[in-house]
Each structure stands twice: as C-alpha cells, then as structure tokens.
Amino acid sequence: MKLLKFALLALLLNSVQALANEGGNLEAANINISDKESLQRGAKLFVNYCLSCHSAKYMRYKRLAADLDLTEEEGWNNALFPNVGMPHVLAGLQGAQTAKAEVHVDEDGIKHHKMVVEAPKVAGSMSAKEYDESVRDLVNYLVYMGEPAALQRMEYGPYVIIFLVFFSFIAYLMKKEYWKDIH
Amino acid sequence: MSNSKATGLLGWVDDRLPVIDFWNAHLAQYYAPKNFNFWYFFGSLALLVLVNQIMSGIWLTMHYKPNAEEAFGSVEYIMRDVPWGWLIRYLHSTGASAFFIVVYLHMFRGLMYGSYQKPRELIWIFGMIIYVALMAEAFMGYVLPWGQMSYWGAQVIISLFGAIPEYGDTITTWIRGDYLISDATLNRFFALHVVAVPMALLGLVVMHIAALHEKGSNNPDGVEIKQNKDENGIPRDGIPFHPYYSVKDIVGVGVFLTIFAFIIFFAPQMGGWFLEHDNFVPANPLVTPIHIKPVWYFTPFYAILKAVPSKGLGVITMGAAIVMLFLLPWLDRSPVKSMRYRGWMSRFALACFVVSFVTLGWLATQAGSETQTLIARIMTVVYFLYFILMPWYSKADKNKPVPERVTK
C-alpha cells in the first residue's frame, strides 16, 4: 500500500514537471515519424523557412530522399563546367534546358564533338530575357558581396585624388619658388 | 658641442642631445649635388613606403589573428567589419608592391649612374642587404592571409631549402616548425614579419643613409662635387639638402601618393597582380592551385629557378643571380660613373639586362611551354653576362669626356 501511494505520488509529480518546463506551457506535438506525408511536408517547411539560418549539416540529402521517397537529384549537367556535381538550382526560373551532342566532321575528316544547349521544353517562371537579367543581378550581387568596401572606396576615391593633385600642384609652386635661388 | 646661440626649449634639449649639430650635418648644411633628376626621388619615396608599411602594419596587427584556423577569416573581418579596415589593408598590400616598384627604380638609378662605385661601395652593400631583407619580409607577409597562394607559395619556397645536401630536410623542418606547412609556420612567420625583420630593416636603413652622408651623393653626371669647393669649403655644385631637396621631395611624395591613392581606391587588386585571385580562397593542403607563382616582384628570380633543369642547380643559380648584384662595385672597372658618358658597350649591356629582367619576370607568370623555357634559359644567360662580362666591357669601352662641373 505504501509502495502504491509512493508510486502514485511520483507519477503525479512527474507529470507536473513535464508541464512546468522553462518556456511555458508546451502543447503536445502528436509525434508520429511513420507518417511519411507529414515528414515530407515538414521537410519542405524546414528547407524553405529554417535552413537559411540553422544548419542541418549532418543530414545528408541522399538519406532524406531514401527515407521520405523524395525525388533524387539526378540528370543535371551543364555545358560550361561539364559533370559538375551541383544541380541547377534556378531551374524553376529558367525552365529545364536540354542538350544534345552533335558531331561535326571538318575538311580533314576529324570529328569534333559539341554540346548544343536547347531552349527549355518546360518553361520556367521567367522568360529568357527576364532570366538573363536575373542572373546578371545575381552575379552583380556576388561581386558586391566579395568586396562590400568597393562602394565606399569608389565613393571617397575621387575626393582623395583631387586633394592630392591640388596638394602636389601647390607643393610644386613652392618648390619652384625655393629653387629660384639655384643657378 | 652645445650651440650657445640656442635658447629656450631648443637650447635645453641641445645642451643634452646634439640636435642642432645633427640638423646641420644631415639636413641644413648637408650638401647634395644640385642636378638631381627624376631618378633621385625614389630613395625618399622608399622611406615613405617603409613608414606606410609599418603604420598600416601596426593597425592590421590589432585585428589580425596569426592562427591557421582564424587568419583568413580575420582578414575578411578587417576588410568588412573593422571601420576603415579595408583602407588599412589596401594601404599595406598596395604598399608592398609600391615598395618594390620604388626600390627597383632606386636600384636602377644606381646601375645607370654608377652610384655603387668607389667610394660608395658600402652604401650599395647595405642597400643590397636591405633588398634581401625586404624580399624575406614580403614573402613572409604574403603567407599571413593564409590563402591558397600563401600556403602553396610557402610550400614551394621552403622546400627549396631541401635542396641543401645532407641537411636539407632538417633545415626545412626547422624553418617550418613542423613536418609540413602548418599553424607553427604561420605563427613564426608572423613574429618575424611583424617584429624581427622590420627592426632589422630600420637599422639597415639608418646604416645605409649614414654611409651615404659620409661620402655624399653621386649625381646623374657622375661628377664628384666635393672636388670643387669654394673658399668656405662648400661644394660649388652642392646645395643644402634642406630646404631644397626637402621641398622638392615633397612634390615627389605628392605625385607618388596621387598614383598610390588611385590604385588603392580604384584598382587595389590590379587585376590579380597585387592581390592574387588564388589568395581569395582559404588555404587547402589537399588542393594545389593550377599555377603556383610568386607575386610579380619575385618573378624574374622564379623564372631563373624554373629555367634550370635541376632543383639543386636551380636554387644555386637563383641565389647567384642576387649575389651578382652585391659584386657590382668590383665588377665595374669603368673610370666613368654615369651612363651619360660611357661608351656603347656599357649602354647596350645595361639595356640587355633590363630586357632580360623584364622578360624573365613575365615568363614566370605564364603557364610554361618548350619555347618559353628556351627563352627563359637564353634570358638567364643574358642576365648573367651583364655581370660576368662587365670587368671586360667596362674597361674596354670608349667613354666620352666627363665634365668638371655638373650639367643640368
């Protein structure tokens, strides 16, 4: 009987403990990791909203794709850096381009292989012109990000040069004045 | 010897430290030839750049972290987050290249006007030691940002010491402080670059100027102004350094700073020549850059090193290329100092030397090919012939008569 009372008391106190955590009253989350569709939706939310600031560097995409039946990243290549591992992250904007290999035979009978990139068969959310301008914006941003101080130095530069030219000129006049004594 | 005429604060100091005598001996009554031209700006400019490197270096040291994990990041921090950090960094990196431009032009003046000839041999020797110390300082400074070129440049140059027979490996381990280029290497290069070599440079510059003042400057005509003094013992072709050359050098400083500022504010990387592209990538011991090459001011010697097919001989040849410069006062047997009055052989030899130096420099920056290696070998021979044949052509040359007094 004493044991039972003790057990009941422990149970009661512990459930209070679960509610009285730091951070206030937390609701139960109804965890069920076998619910694959929930996990897929959750993964999408995490990637879209959380991943930019919080790292998940120990979670490999390959494993995530296998567990959650996500599409594998495959089939991307590019004509500029062939066989690079990075997928085309802007495919949604540009549309998915395809390429075909062409073989040209020149006068000497030598075969030349060329990758010819074709226009997207499935359109992206931007036109070719819009996409071009967007990529230009992105590159522009990356150049800025490489050296933000460029904005400041190009702003101050002209004033510094103007002062120094003026200074050199005045110094030169002073030199000439002193050197009148010579010869 | 205190100056009884001085009163007030100056008098008090002069009584205890001979400042007035010093001022007179080295400035107000130090007589320099009156015909200094464009080539004579570079000594004072070298001093200006030295001061710039020291001051900008001190402020960089306040934020830079000499640790393999943090070095690269600390430089980015200086460039982005330290107020005016970008300016301090560019002053230092542009200053390093400016130092070598100024010093090479300063040395070239010596070659043109025979400034190394007797009685000024010691000035030349001190200058050459300064040059070697400067190369060491620049090399170590370049390692500090811990970029790809920092790491791999250090790897190549330190491994050259491995060419020393028998003790090579022990020596390279000793220099590195480790069995490979690592944090230990970075830390000791920091100590040497910030403290040891700058102190040595300052001492050497003092010696260099002291030796100069003992004999007085040479000039573009190579005429010894001390041989023609007036009744007061003042050289007829001499003018007091202060105010004439202090005021003239200020003009030189103004023009120099204008060009310097233009580079800092509008082209600090100089298309990869002053701040190399590879060095914007953090050091990675597992990935070797495609072309490991030193910064532009080392390129002629690097080309000589690459031109020689054997590693050991290459190192010796590269070293000899610098040693030859030390020997100039004794290789040159011309009775005439200045190129203005020398015969065609000396002029041709100097022109060939300049062509070989510049060509070798350019070749070191290229990817390399059979033709390029051949040209590098030919140019290396031309470089050495300038020195090796000098005892003959400097003596055999038909010189023009040297005037008694300086021309303008």
Side-chain angles (χ1 to χ4, degrees):
Chain A
M1 194 51 190
K2 253 202 180 144
L3 191 60
L4 187 61
K5 273 196 206 159
F6 179 77
L8 282 170
L9 194 63
L11 204 65
L12 182 67
L13 287 172
N14 274 330
S15 57
V16 168
Q17 212 36 35
L19 293 169
N21 256 326
E22 295 149 40
N25 287 338
L26 297 178
E27 293 179 17
N30 210 0
I31 304 294
N32 176 14
I33 66 171
S34 311
D35 185 352
K36 204 171 279 190
E37 258 130 47
S38 166
L39 290 182
Q40 286 173 348
R41 289 190 298 269
K44 186 170 180 177
L45 284 164
F46 183 81
V47 168
N48 283 342
Y49 294 105
C50 312
L51 194 53
S52 307
C53 301
H54 295 273
S55 167
K57 66 180 182 182
Y58 299 114
M59 185 75 218
R60 276 194 186 281
Y61 183 80
K62 228 182 161 70
R63 182 186 185 143
L64 185 67
D67 285 344
L68 267 52
D69 294 334
L70 304 178
T71 54
E72 279 177 28
E73 290 296 331
E74 59 185 10
W76 291 115
N77 205 338
N78 74 85
L80 191 56
F81 299 113
N83 305 324
V84 77
M86 183 175 159
H88 186 3
V89 292
L90 300 176
L93 304 176
Q94 185 187 31
Q97 294 183 121
T98 48
K100 56 182 202 284
E102 285 181 4
V103 180
H104 299 273
V105 184
D106 65 20
E107 313 94 46
D108 301 321
I110 299 171
K111 289 187 190 165
H112 293 273
H113 297 266
K114 220 167 64 150
M115 283 292 261
V116 176
V117 176
E118 301 156 328
K121 293 194 177 75
V122 180
S125 59
M126 290 184 178
S127 71
K129 184 163 177 292
E130 279 171 347
Y131 180 72
D132 228 25
E133 280 164 13
S134 296
V135 173
R136 184 254 170 187
D137 289 340
L138 183 58
V139 174
N140 208 13
Y141 171 73
L142 284 169
V143 172
Y144 155 78
M145 194 167 72
E147 194 207 343
L151 290 174
Q152 276 178 283
R153 61 171 170 82
M154 297 215 267
E155 195 196 340
Y156 300 137
Y159 299 108
V160 176
I161 307 286
I162 288 168
F163 168 75
L164 284 168
V165 169
F166 175 71
F167 173 86
S168 302
F169 178 63
I170 301 291
Y172 179 65
L173 292 179
M174 186 165 122
K175 181 256 177 191
K176 283 195 77 108
E177 187 60 39
Y178 269 91
W179 278 67
K180 277 190 183 135
D181 309 339
I182 309 299
H183 303 298
Chain B
M1 189 173 85
S2 67
N3 191 324
S4 58
K5 291 203 188 88
T7 55
L9 179 63
L10 181 61
W12 185 90
V13 175
D14 190 59
D15 221 19
R16 293 154 178 76
L17 182 74
V19 287
I20 293 180
D21 284 344
F22 187 88
W23 169 263
N24 285 333
H26 296 288
L27 289 164
Q29 288 165 19
Y30 170 73
Y31 287 89
K34 63 184 185 183
N35 61 334
F36 279 176
N37 60 14
F38 164 80
W39 294 100
Y40 281 80
F41 279 113
F42 296 106
S44 62
L45 289 180
L47 196 56
L48 173 72
V49 177
L50 177 64
V51 170
N52 174 73
Q53 293 306 94
I54 291 174
M55 299 307 285
S56 60
I58 289 172
W59 262 268
L60 283 175
T61 315
M62 293 182 188
H63 303 284
Y64 168 79
K65 299 249 185 280
N67 169 309
E69 301 297 311
E70 301 181 88
F72 188 89
S74 72
V75 174
E76 284 301 313
Y77 169 68
I78 290 168
M79 292 297 294
R80 291 160 189 274
D81 297 322
V82 172
W84 302 99
W86 56 270
L87 179 60
I88 300 170
R89 197 273 176 104
Y90 284 149
L91 280 166
H92 204 74
S93 60
T94 309
S97 281
F99 216 159
F100 280 94
I101 293 173
V102 164
V103 158
Y104 281 144
L105 292 171
H106 182 69
M107 289 162 85
F108 184 66
R109 177 274 308 272
L111 298 186
M112 267 203 298
Y113 298 135
S115 311
Y116 50 73
Q117 278 194 11
K118 184 179 157 106
R120 298 181 179 87
E121 305 96 320
L122 194 57
I123 306 169
W124 181 259
I125 298 292
F126 276 127
M128 279 307 303
I129 301 174
I130 291 172
Y131 177 56
V132 173
L134 197 65
M135 290 199 284
E137 177 76 351
F139 165 65
M140 292 188 295
Y142 196 75
V143 176
L144 299 184
W146 211 237
Q148 272 288 65
M149 208 43 91
S150 305
Y151 182 92
W152 289 97
Q155 175 76 354
V156 169
I157 298 303
I158 294 180
S159 78
L160 294 179
F161 289 91
I164 298 170
E166 237 186 295
Y167 302 106
D169 284 338
T170 317
I171 292 176
T172 47
T173 309
W174 178 68
I175 294 172
R176 282 189 297 247
D178 202 335
Y179 300 105
L180 55 148
I181 305 278
S182 71
D183 183 54
T185 320
L186 178 61
N187 240 78
R188 58 186 44 195
F189 275 15
F190 178 73
L192 295 172
H193 178 83
V194 173
V195 185
V197 182
M199 292 210 305
L201 275 171
L202 283 170
L204 285 165
V205 168
V206 168
M207 293 289 109
H208 187 64
I209 297 176
L212 171 72
H213 280 206
E214 186 61 29
K215 292 296 171 190
S217 288
N218 188 23
N219 60 78
D221 286 319
V223 171
E224 288 298 321
I225 63 167
K226 284 187 180 176
Q227 278 163 8
N228 205 321
K229 293 182 178 171
D230 67 13
E231 55 281 357
N232 296 318
I234 294 170
R236 286 208 161 85
D237 286 327
I239 48 176
F241 187 89
H242 180 75
Y244 297 104
Y245 282 119
S246 33
V247 92
K248 189 177 180 196
D249 279 345
I250 288 176
V251 182
V253 165
V255 172
F256 170 80
L257 285 179
T258 307
I259 302 170
F260 193 57
F262 185 83
I263 297 172
I264 287 174
F265 288 91
F266 297 107
Q269 294 169 26
M270 262 307 177
W273 287 106
F274 286 4
L275 282 169
E276 302 195 315
H277 299 310
D278 271 321
N279 235 27
F280 284 90
V281 178
N284 186 345
L286 301 175
V287 176
T288 313
I290 299 175
H291 298 304
I292 302 177
K293 56 179 183 65
V295 196
W296 70 269
Y297 37 79
F298 291 140
T299 48
F301 304 108
Y302 197 64
I304 293 175
L305 175 72
K306 288 203 295 180
V308 179
S310 122
K311 178 174 176 178
L313 267 180
V315 174
I316 293 173
T317 314
M318 186 176 72
I322 298 170
V323 168
M324 296 310 279
L325 285 161
F326 277 86
L327 303 176
L328 269 176
W330 297 277
L331 292 169
D332 187 352
R333 300 197 298 155
S334 175
V336 169
K337 286 199 182 77
S338 167
M339 278 294 153
R340 283 186 179 176
Y341 304 102
R342 292 212 200 191
W344 70 268
M345 289 198 281
S346 300
R347 293 163 173 238
F348 179 68
L350 184 60
C352 288
F353 177 75
V354 172
V355 168
S356 74
F357 194 73
V358 173
T359 311
L360 283 166
W362 178 80
L363 283 169
T365 65
Q366 301 304 298
S369 71
E370 290 244 2
T371 325
Q372 285 180 3
T373 309
L374 178 63
I375 299 175
R377 288 175 179 163
I378 295 171
M379 286 298 152
T380 304
V381 171
V382 171
Y383 178 99
F384 278 99
L385 282 178
Y386 168 75
F387 299 97
I388 294 171
L389 296 179
M390 192 183 276
W392 166 71
Y393 67 70
S394 63
K395 192 82 188 232
D397 229 346
K398 278 201 187 60
N399 303 312
K400 300 183 194 140
V402 179
E404 282 293 314
R405 303 284 300 271
V406 304
T407 64
K408 200 24 182 180

